[in-house]
Every structure is written in C-alpha cells, then in structure tokens.
Amino acid sequence: MLRIALTGNIGSGKSTVAEFFKECGFYVFDADRIIKGFYEEKGKVYEEVLKAFGNEILDQGGNINTKKLADIVFADREKLLLLERITHSALYERLEEEFKKLPEHAIAVVEASLVLEKKTQGRYDFVVLVYAPYELCKQRVLAKGMSLEDFERRWQKQLPPEEKLKKAHYVIDNSQSLERARERVFELCKVFRNLVLFQRRWRLF
C-alpha cells in the first residue's frame, strides 16, 4: 500500500485537492474529520479532552464546542500541545485501523495540516504539498467567514508555505485556476499508480 500525506497551510485548498484525489479512485482520509468524529462518538478521546479542559467547552447538549476549544488552545501553547497529544495518538491508531481494511495495493491519501510541523512525514511514503501564498490563503479564509484574528492565530502555528516547499516530495500549486490544480493532481495520480504497479511487478521476481 502507498501512503501519501496531503498537507498545506490553512486556506491553501487541501480539501478541494483531496476531492480531486478521490476522483482518481484513491482512498482519502481527513484528519480533522476523524478527530471531530472522536468528539461526536463521546468515547475515550471525548473523555480525555473533557478531563483536560473542563465542562466550559461543552454546549447545552453536552457536545464539545470546537470554537470554544479552539479559542482556549490557540491562546495557550501548552494547552494546544496537550490537545494534540490526546487527539493525534488516537488519530494515528484510527488511521492504522482503516489502512488494514484496504486492499493490499491501495493508495491512501491523508489530508492533514501539521505533517511537517509535527515531523510525522516518516509515517508516509510521500508528502504532497498544496501551495498557495499567504495573501491568497488569507483572502480565501476570510471570505468563508473566519475572523482575521482567528486566521492569524492558526497561520502562526504553521510553517510558512515557502519553507514547506523545500520539504515536500511533490507540490500542487493551488494559487491559480482549479482546473490547473486538477490537472496536476491527475498527473500525480499517474505517478503514484505507476509506483504501485512497479512494486507489484518487483515482488513477482
């Protein structure tokens, strides 16, 4: 199986690019959605987060209010690290469980923001970076309703995209048209399929 990390800064367009990989027939996993799923399941992760941050993060229905939680952790680095320790270990376990369900020669894409920041690229065969410059990312995020303050807090927790360019195996420039980004994704799909085909043939000898 081929494991690919799809990463990029907030506003770069990772989710859009992930949809293009789905069009290629790849298995796509969204790290943020998996973590939100933990909260909704109200299992171990929910209990650990509640124990760490208290009932003030809950809404009237007993659900974790992710906006309140974000306000707390992005204002305190130690609390952010605590939340990441709780959620990321559970995330990796869940991903491994999901990978085991896939066909032997599947291609799995994991959409995750902090692969390079957390130095977890070793869990993957390749890192694909979705690139867009700061101003464009800011414009996109603000257009969706996020405040400038929230955007800046999140941006400051991430490496500059220009630094990530040096660390990624492949880059998808999402600063221009969506059609050009899709074409680039389809090019990479061919590359990854050929790699899997090569691996299969190599094992025959």
Side-chain angles (χ1 to χ4, degrees):
M1 187 179 75
L2 206 61
R3 303 182 185 196
I4 300 165
L6 179 65
T7 193
N9 289 59
I10 181 173
S12 61
K14 294 184 299 300
S15 296
T16 299
V17 169
E19 290 299 319
F20 296 156
F21 275 112
K22 285 183 183 179
E23 291 180 21
C24 291
F26 291 3
Y27 296 89
V28 176
F29 301 90
D30 184 331
D32 286 342
R33 288 184 183 176
I34 292 174
I35 291 172
K36 288 179 181 178
F38 291 147
Y39 299 158
E40 293 168 0
E41 292 168 8
K42 297 186 178 178
K44 181 181 177 182
V45 172
Y46 172 91
E47 294 295 339
E48 289 184 8
V49 171
L50 196 57
K51 180 179 179 181
F53 297 98
N55 291 336
E56 63 265 28
I57 65 172
L58 298 179
D59 61 20
Q60 292 181 345
N63 303 302
I64 291 177
N65 184 316
T66 53
K67 175 66 167 61
K68 288 182 180 179
L69 183 58
D71 287 342
I72 292 171
V73 299
F74 282 109
D76 186 323
R77 183 175 182 275
E78 290 304 315
K79 290 182 178 179
L80 176 61
L81 291 174
L82 173 58
L83 179 63
E84 289 175 347
R85 283 196 296 272
I86 294 170
T87 58
H88 288 187
S89 60
L91 169 66
Y92 301 139
E93 289 179 9
R94 179 63 59 86
L95 284 172
E96 288 302 321
E97 291 173 2
E98 294 299 325
F99 291 159
K100 289 176 182 177
K101 300 175 185 177
L102 301 181
E104 180 182 357
H105 301 292
I107 301 175
V109 177
V110 178
E111 178 190 344
S113 300
L114 302 176
V115 173
L116 297 174
E117 287 84 351
K118 296 301 175 183
K119 297 180 172 60
T120 58
Q121 57 265 44
R123 293 178 174 271
Y124 306 94
D125 298 297
F126 297 100
V127 174
V128 175
L129 174 69
V130 182
Y131 170 80
Y134 167 82
E135 287 295 337
L136 181 55
C137 289
K138 181 174 71 173
Q139 177 185 332
R140 289 171 175 169
V141 171
L142 296 186
K144 291 182 178 180
M146 181 179 287
S147 70
L148 178 59
E149 180 183 5
D150 282 347
F151 168 77
E152 291 292 352
R153 286 192 303 180
R154 286 164 171 76
W155 186 271
Q156 293 303 319
K157 303 296 182 184
Q158 301 179 349
L159 292 172
E162 289 71 24
E163 186 173 341
K164 292 181 179 181
L165 285 170
K166 305 171 187 176
K167 300 181 178 183
H169 296 99
Y170 298 97
V171 177
I172 297 169
D173 185 347
N174 196 29
S175 64
Q176 302 181 47
S177 70
L178 280 180
E179 191 53 41
R180 292 191 67 175
R182 176 188 263 116
E183 289 173 359
R184 175 59 174 158
V185 170
F186 289 174
E187 288 174 2
L188 291 182
C189 287
K190 292 178 182 178
V191 170
F192 294 138
R193 284 199 185 101
N194 285 337
L195 282 170
V196 170
L197 183 61
F198 175 79
Q199 289 175 348
R200 294 179 69 175
R201 288 177 175 173
W202 177 257
R203 289 175 184 173
L204 295 176
F205 294 96

